[in-house]
Amino acid sequence: MTGGLPRGVERDDPLPLRPGWTFWPDRDLLLYTLARLPAVREPWLRRLYLHLQNPTNFRVF
């Protein structure tokens, strides 16, 4: 036998738990990382950085 269960044997352990929430990126961590990048001087990264600094923009993407 190479892996798996023998024929006729059933598993009785429960399935693994799944998270009850969707993963969302951390805005503060992203702001911190962007601020440390020299590339934040690029216009598209600068716009993203300024967008995230506004507290009313609670979603990163």
Side-chain angles (χ1 to χ4, degrees):
M1 185 174 90
T2 59
L5 295 172
R7 192 175 305 214
V9 175
E10 296 180 11
R11 294 182 64 138
D12 61 355
D13 56 336
L15 293 174
L17 297 176
R18 293 181 175 217
W21 61 90
T22 306
F23 170 77
W24 290 103
D26 187 315
R27 179 175 55 185
D28 294 332
L29 180 61
L30 183 56
L31 275 171
Y32 176 77
T33 304
L34 283 174
R36 295 175 52 90
L37 288 175
V40 81
R41 295 183 192 107
E42 295 290 325
W44 70 276
L45 273 178
R46 189 67 178 170
R47 280 194 306 273
L48 177 63
Y49 181 75
L50 294 173
H51 174 77
L52 292 174
Q53 282 186 322
N54 185 350
T56 59
N57 299 327
F58 61 94
R59 292 190 61 178
V60 176
F61 301 105

